[in-house]
Amino acid sequence: MTDSDPTALTLLRERADSGDPDAIDELVELAAERGDLAELRRLADRGSSTATDQLIEVATEQGNLDELRRLADAGNTTAADQLLDLTTE
């Protein structure tokens, strides 16, 4: 599936929202490929640790200090480490 098919993406989101782990994994992968922090944040906020990991990775790649700070302030030590690395280079 590609994100160029809005109907398929909508259906995938519905499956993910219903708790389908395969759909969640696919959405996380698509969002990470697109660098879509909002989608990753949404999935992470719903409890996907994979989405959280990808959110940190993409935010780090993009140099998004605000997102890393938000995650660090919420207690994510990996985000805090990445934030420290980016701000002390």
Side-chain angles (χ1 to χ4, degrees):
M1 197 211 91
T2 66
D3 59 350
S4 61
D5 182 353
T7 302
L9 190 57
T10 298
L11 292 173
L12 189 61
R13 283 186 181 125
E14 288 173 3
R15 287 180 38 219
D17 289 346
S18 295
D20 180 335
D22 293 331
I24 293 167
D25 289 345
E26 192 170 343
L27 274 178
V28 168
E29 185 178 327
L30 288 170
E33 288 171 2
R34 293 190 319 259
D36 186 346
L37 293 178
E39 184 80 52
L40 289 169
R41 189 179 311 114
R42 184 181 79 82
L43 294 164
D45 289 348
R46 291 177 158 241
S48 171
S49 60
T50 304
T52 302
D53 293 343
Q54 288 297 308
L55 179 58
I56 293 166
E57 185 175 320
V58 172
T60 300
E61 289 170 358
Q62 294 179 357
N64 189 322
L65 301 181
D66 291 336
E67 186 63 31
L68 291 170
R69 195 170 290 112
R70 183 188 75 82
L71 292 163
D73 289 347
N76 188 297
T77 56
T78 304
D81 291 344
Q82 292 299 322
L83 184 62
L84 183 62
D85 286 347
L86 287 175
T87 56
T88 58
E89 291 181 344

